[in-house]
Amino acid sequence: MKDTAPQTIFLKDYTPFGFVVESVHLTFDLSPNATRVASRIAFAPNPEARDHRFFLHGEDLKLIRAAIDGTPVSPDVIDEGLTCAVPEGSFIWECEVEIDPQGNTALEGLYMSGGMYCTQCEAEGFRKITYYPDRPDVMSVFTVEIKGPHPVLLSNGNPQVQGKGHAIWHDPWPKPAYLFALVAGDLLAHSDSFTTCSGKEVELNLYVRAGDEDKCAFGMEALKKSMKWDEEVYGREYDLDVFNIVAVDDFNMGAMENKGLNIFNSSAVLASPETATDANFERIEAIIAHEYFHNWTGNRITCRDWFQLCLKEGLTVFRDAQFTSDVRSEPVKRIQDVIELRARQFPEDQGPLAHPVRPESFQEINNFYTATVYEKGAEVIGMLKRLVGDQAYAEALDLYFARHDGQACTIEDWLKVFEDVTGRDLAQFKRWYSQAGTPRLAVREEWDDGTYTLHFSQSLGASAATPEPQPQVIPIRVGLLGPNGDEVQATRTLEMTEATQSFRFEGLGAKPVPSILREFSAPVVLERETDTAERAFLLAHDTDPFNRWEAGRTLARETMMDMATSGAPAGAAYLDGMLAVLRDDTLDPAYRALMLAQPSQSELANALAEAGTTPDPDAIWQASETLALALAQHAQDVLPRIMAECRVDAPYRPDPDQSGKRALGARALALVTRLDGGAQAAEQYAVADNMTLQLSSLGCLLAAGKGEEQVAAFYAQWQGDRLVIDKWFGMQIAQAAPDRAADVAARLTEHPDFNWKNPNRFRATLGALAMNHAGFHIADGSGYRLLADWLIRLDPVNPQTTARMCSAFQTWRRYDSARQSLIGAELERIAETPGLSRDTTEMMSRIRGAE
Ligand code: B3K
Ligand code: ZN
């Protein structure tokens, strides 16, 4: 925690570090409260730098000794590091520090979790381990010696010595300090191997605590699949003799791509059919792929500075999405990603936390691991690929790897490979990296005797981050359907570059129905005034699976908006359209399940806010309930057939086929529960032999205001399984009626298993409250108060997780004045807490904005 006023760092101020680091040798003598870290670092002047002052970052370190070329020195230890007079040429810096892993509750640097030592260094955690130029453009070769009484001692690279209580690891690939990792503990390995395309055998280990051995097999298969996929699709081969993954219970995010030693939140890697849901399995597969893919996009080629974070994150998210589309279903993955983008990125882009994909300033970089950098960053790459085509994309990537291997790069470097391969000028495209906000794309049509014209206009609201927005390059994928539903114009990519632009289609026999923004070809809000008949037509006929789903989603959203604002009844076009989807068993069950899922209440709130209406959480909740009941009644004759069709008799497998059926079955059960009050859900709960069915039936019961007995039984069955008990906490709050959610959450924070210092449990509880839209926004302010109380309590313990969860308040300005003043008071209470962390201070000032 810092007492000094937070400093703002700017992209424009970048200068290279004054020295290169030729090698790093670290020795760890592990002890819970007094670990000694000795470093021996070879520095040489950096010919590219002008400023040669010697400054090393360091935080919360006790300096024991320091020497230069063997002579003891007394550096000036300052708040965020140290300085020292150094010789003019090359020299060896040595120092020893003492750190306190046990007392490190922030989970950044070297810390302890469940008796094991582990690390998290991205973004700036290495400076809590030893004094070092902790910046991504300083890359070096590390050798790490570990002394400790633990059977497993791990670090990056390849093992050189593995003895009792002693190990030496050497990583031949130069890397920045943020990719450093160390693990020590009493762990069990689930081992396997992978033979790379050039015939090299790689040892693979997934290390877990005793008791978790039966939850490793799926993660290991996902790793092997990812390694193969990256060879086949991107020509990327793995480059060390071993690849280790370690599961850790206390972790601030999903996982971390440290070179050769990935560290995972146990929730992002451990899975068995009894304890993990289909959605958990799918997420695990994607995260394993993501972290593995970072080996090339992030590790071999890293970022020059943290402003370039999207260089590795946007690209790696894009690559993991391609992987999931390939091994599962492309349309399903695309739809899921767009749902997420709208749920998490759009509100960010449209509120006080808006920032460009490549931000230009920050106070605490950890606050910029955002949906904008990650998900919008991936969307930008998807657009680039659509614009240049698959072939040029592949060539540009080959050039990127060839040209920049071993370097710390920028977005300029990234775009340059595309320019060099295609000869295009990407200066305008680059605005996607520098302008904040979601562009709105309005479209109007004109039909004139065989010529059909689409008139587009784009607009981007001015924001603090982007005061003078300029038009962006928008790839608009469009197809046209004839009146009978046949496609009369196959998908074409229109390239919009102006503020307004028109595109003509000639030679049509009749006025077509346009299918615009197929595949969701750009992250924009599409505005098209049309009638429900056209949406219903596209829902029935669109050949683009994304836009077919989108038509249903828009119908749902529009009817819910009417219901929430004027008390209108559920729209017939939506109900009939959904019934047709339910009946159509030629459609993939996973796709049908997505079709049937109603827009979330927060999606409705976003949509209303975008339309200039103040969202009323109670009315939205009511609309959502009424629509679900109306759909259940409308579809009641087909629901039993769907339920039967979705029963899986084969042994459980988390594959797309079985999980698609279970997803559709769960949707059908949710509707049936509206009609039978939970009778069938209780039956399913009683016989469920996997977590997907167990949890979905429990959810239905809770949503129906039932399930007390099952909640107790679930706890008794799973007490002691941390990941399952997280679900138990989360589900009770997520499914609580609005007037009970805050009470349920408050009661659960008093439960003996509410270990609030564990980020997974904290998120399962308070995060679930923030996600229960009507419950969080309950008019008496109890939801806001409870969250604020806990954020204030968590901040001194774990600033990173606290700051992240502050974003629950980011949409506050869109609500009515009573709610705004309740939230405003809580924000003020948080902001004025003495000693508030830099992380949370920055979030508060951004969310509150200029008062
Ligand atoms: N690179 C890490 C995230 C680090 C977050 C630091 N606060 C995981 C990932 O994106 O793969
Ligand atoms: Zn990543």
Side-chain angles (χ1 to χ4, degrees):
M1 218 182 313
K2 295 272 149 310
D3 293 328
T4 44
Q7 217 197 325
T8 301
I9 322 281
F10 294 92
L11 166 61
K12 63 176 168 48
D13 292 343
Y14 172 82
T15 53
F17 184 54
F19 301 83
V20 290
V21 176
E22 289 172 335
S23 66
V24 179
H25 192 290
L26 302 172
T27 306
F28 286 81
D29 209 333
L30 297 172
S31 167
N33 293 112
T35 288
R36 287 286 174 107
V37 186
S39 59
R40 187 170 193 282
I41 305 171
F43 285 101
N46 179 358
E48 320 249 292
R50 274 194 282 172
D51 180 353
H52 293 283
R53 270 173 304 180
F54 185 70
F55 171 77
L56 302 181
H57 296 104
E59 269 177 42
D60 305 334
L61 306 172
K62 186 160 134 199
L63 180 63
I64 306 294
R65 60 178 176 86
I68 290 181
D69 290 334
T71 306
V73 289
S74 304
D76 278 338
V77 176
I78 49 178
D79 191 27
E80 293 187 334
L82 61 73
T83 58
C84 192
V86 297
E88 275 201 3
S90 305
F91 60 94
I92 302 289
W93 161 265
E94 284 173 285
C95 97
E96 188 171 3
V97 298
E98 188 177 291
I99 54 178
D100 176 9
Q102 182 93 71
N104 180 353
T105 57
L107 315 182
E108 193 185 47
L110 177 68
Y111 66 93
M112 301 200 72
S113 170
M116 68 195 266
Y117 291 84
C118 59
T119 52
Q120 172 54 37
C121 292
E122 188 176 0
E124 297 179 333
F126 191 75
R127 62 190 63 184
K128 294 182 163 184
I129 293 177
T130 192
Y131 288 103
Y132 195 75
D134 188 6
R135 38 186 289 168
D137 58 343
V138 175
M139 299 173 82
S140 190
V141 172
F142 283 62
T143 304
V144 178
E145 195 168 345
I146 314 170
K147 298 174 192 166
H150 315 87
V152 175
L153 300 171
L154 307 172
S155 190
N156 316 90
N158 296 319
Q160 285 188 327
V161 174
Q162 281 177 302
K164 202 171 168 338
H166 180 229
I168 301 180
W169 289 79
H170 176 73
D171 182 359
W173 299 105
K175 65 167 178 294
Y178 83 84
L179 291 172
F180 167 83
L182 178 147
V183 168
D186 194 353
L187 302 170
L188 301 174
H190 175 101
S191 304
D192 206 326
S193 73
F194 179 81
T195 306
T196 70
C197 50
S198 70
K200 244 182 27 201
E201 172 132 338
V202 182
E203 177 190 327
L204 310 175
N205 298 296
L206 172 41
Y207 286 97
V208 296
R209 282 174 30 192
D212 288 336
E213 311 85 287
D214 58 340
K215 296 181 182 165
C216 299
F218 180 82
M220 183 58 83
E221 287 311 308
L223 174 60
K224 290 190 290 180
K225 245 195 264 183
S226 308
M227 295 177 88
K228 186 126 192 64
W229 186 90
D230 214 15
E231 289 183 347
E232 288 173 359
V233 180
Y234 278 84
R236 300 295 107 205
E237 185 180 1
Y238 187 61
D239 54 3
L240 290 167
D241 303 339
V242 291
F243 188 85
N244 288 323
I245 293 181
V246 180
V248 172
D249 285 337
D250 300 281
F251 207 65
N252 280 333
M253 64 263 177
M256 177 64 210
E257 70 262 23
N258 317 296
K259 184 79 188 186
L261 177 53
N262 285 2
I263 299 185
F264 271 63
N265 187 321
S266 48
S267 73
V269 60
L270 300 182
S272 69
E274 298 73 32
T275 60
T277 63
D278 291 327
N280 295 149
F281 279 100
E282 189 173 335
R283 173 171 177 263
I284 287 168
E285 184 176 77
I287 298 184
I288 293 216
H290 179 96
E291 305 310 333
Y292 176 73
F293 297 159
H294 267 314
N295 190 55
W296 274 94
T297 50
N299 301 3
R300 287 286 285 260
I301 303 179
T302 193
C303 302
R304 186 193 71 175
D305 52 69
W306 289 120
F307 297 102
Q308 321 294 331
L309 184 58
C310 61
L311 178 75
K312 73 177 179 82
E313 294 305 347
L315 178 54
T316 307
V317 171
F318 181 71
R319 275 153 48 70
D320 84 54
Q322 285 182 303
F323 167 79
T324 299
S325 308
D326 283 358
V327 301
R328 291 175 179 261
S329 147
E330 189 175 347
V332 166
K333 174 63 177 162
R334 188 66 191 134
I335 294 165
Q336 288 170 336
D337 282 353
V338 174
I339 292 173
E340 278 290 295
L341 188 80
R342 286 180 175 150
R344 302 194 304 112
Q345 200 277 326
F346 279 23
E348 189 167 274
D349 232 354
Q350 294 163 17
L353 296 178
H355 55 277
V357 169
R358 180 171 70 174
E360 276 156 27
S361 69
F362 63 76
Q363 289 177 351
E364 171 50 62
I365 185 58
N366 283 323
N367 288 336
F368 286 84
Y369 285 75
T370 58
T372 298
V373 169
Y374 275 65
E375 274 75 32
K376 188 173 175 184
E379 290 298 321
V380 171
I381 294 176
M383 286 189 286
L384 193 52
K385 183 163 179 279
R386 273 172 215 118
L387 289 169
V388 303
D390 294 351
Q391 181 61 31
Y393 175 81
E395 284 169 29
L397 267 283
D398 285 347
L399 181 59
Y400 180 63
F401 293 122
R403 187 183 281 176
H404 295 297
D405 187 12
Q407 297 178 2
C409 295
T410 60
I411 288 303
E412 284 72 18
D413 296 325
W414 163 253
L415 291 176
K416 183 79 170 59
V417 296
F418 283 85
E419 295 191 320
D420 289 353
V421 161
T422 62
R424 268 171 179 260
D425 176 354
L426 292 173
Q428 188 187 3
F429 184 81
K430 197 175 164 194
R431 289 181 188 151
W432 281 106
Y433 286 100
S434 61
Q435 300 197 143
T438 313
R440 305 175 78 84
L441 181 63
V443 57
R444 177 170 71 68
E445 64 186 336
E446 197 182 321
W447 169 247
D448 183 19
D449 196 20
T451 300
Y452 181 71
T453 310
L454 288 171
H455 302 282
F456 290 96
S457 69
Q458 59 167 304
S459 63
L460 180 63
S463 60
T466 306
E468 286 175 28
Q470 304 294 318
Q472 298 182 175
V473 184
I474 305 182
I476 309 168
R477 305 266 282 162
V478 171
L480 302 177
L481 302 178
N484 63 355
D486 287 348
E487 194 162 77
V488 294
Q489 164 70 59
T491 309
R492 239 175 81 181
T493 304
L494 312 177
E495 202 173 316
M496 182 174 187
T497 53
E498 308 293 327
T500 61
Q501 212 167 329
S502 303
F503 298 89
R504 283 222 305 262
F505 301 83
E506 312 275 1
L508 296 166
K511 183 179 174 216
V513 174
S515 166
I516 303 169
L517 214 63
R518 285 185 157 182
E519 297 163 26
F520 199 64
S521 59
V524 299
V525 175
L526 182 65
E527 291 173 343
R528 168 162 162 74
E529 295 212 349
T530 183
D531 50 17
T532 49
E534 185 190 289
R535 307 232 190 265
F537 177 85
L538 289 171
L539 172 59
H541 299 292
D542 204 326
T543 48
D544 178 69
F546 176 82
N547 260 8
R548 188 168 179 193
W549 168 83
E550 179 81 318
R553 189 71 160 196
T554 310
L555 273 177
R557 211 166 31 232
E558 286 176 351
T559 189
M560 283 172 82
M561 283 164 79
D562 285 349
M563 294 166 78
T565 51
S566 69
Y574 170 73
L575 296 175
D576 290 341
M578 284 301 127
L579 188 56
V581 168
L582 262 178
R583 286 206 171 110
D584 186 351
D585 49 22
T586 64
L587 293 171
D588 171 17
Y591 181 75
R592 274 195 280 167
L594 284 172
M595 279 276 196
L596 281 174
Q598 281 182 204
S600 70
Q601 292 166 52
S602 45
E603 182 174 332
L604 248 280
N606 292 348
L608 287 164
E610 272 167 10
T613 308
T614 302
D616 173 350
D618 307 314
I620 292 174
W621 181 77
Q622 198 53 60
S624 175
E625 291 289 298
T626 309
L627 189 66
L629 178 61
L631 183 57
Q633 286 164 341
H634 200 68
Q636 62 180 311
D637 294 342
V638 292
L639 292 174
R641 185 164 64 74
I642 304 277
M643 301 270 293
E645 199 186 292
C646 290
R647 208 169 25 240
V648 176
D649 294 320
Y652 179 92
R653 281 194 321 268
D655 61 18
D657 186 36
Q658 281 198 8
S659 52
K661 284 189 173 169
R662 280 187 289 268
L664 180 57
R667 295 245 61 80
L669 182 66
L671 294 176
V672 165
T673 304
R674 303 263 161 191
L675 305 173
D676 76 359
Q680 290 196 56
E683 275 171 35
Q684 179 176 301
Y685 185 87
V687 299
D689 60 359
N690 61 68
M691 184 47 66
T692 310
L693 292 182
Q694 196 176 9
L695 204 64
S696 61
S697 44
L698 182 63
C700 289
L701 287 167
L702 288 168
K706 308 267 171 62
E708 210 174 311
E709 185 191 313
Q710 287 83 355
V711 164
F714 189 101
Y715 181 78
Q717 182 183 358
W718 293 114
Q719 188 176 9
D721 188 308
R722 307 169 300 282
L723 298 175
V724 181
I725 293 300
D726 285 337
K727 301 183 200 309
W728 182 80
F729 272 81
M731 184 60 92
Q732 293 178 69
I733 301 164
Q735 296 298 342
D739 57 347
R740 296 195 51 241
D743 286 348
V744 172
R747 190 170 46 72
L748 283 170
T749 62
E750 282 160 20
H751 191 280
D753 286 351
F754 181 64
N755 171 10
W756 59 276
K757 293 184 182 169
N758 173 263
N760 288 0
R761 191 62 46 92
F762 192 92
R763 279 189 289 259
T765 310
L766 282 316
L769 174 63
M771 302 270 285
N772 181 328
H773 185 256
F776 181 54
H777 291 285
I778 194 78
D780 66 6
S782 54
Y784 310 141
R785 200 158 46 244
L786 185 69
L787 180 62
D789 285 346
W790 278 101
L791 292 178
I792 289 169
R793 186 148 172 201
L794 187 65
D795 186 65
V797 168
N798 186 335
Q800 222 181 101
T801 291
T802 308
R804 213 173 172 73
M805 291 193 57
C806 289
S807 57
F809 291 115
Q810 70 176 322
T811 53
W812 69 299
R813 296 269 191 212
R814 68 156 74 129
Y815 293 96
D816 53 81
S817 58
R819 285 184 171 87
Q820 279 194 42
S821 68
L822 288 167
I823 301 176
E826 297 304 334
L827 292 174
E828 188 176 338
R829 190 157 69 92
I830 299 171
E832 289 183 356
T833 303
L836 198 69
S837 67
R838 174 174 60 205
D839 311 54
T840 306
T841 302
E842 183 186 29
M843 291 300 279
M844 283 302 120
S845 78
R846 289 168 63 208
I847 293 173
R848 296 169 80 204
E851 292 285 314

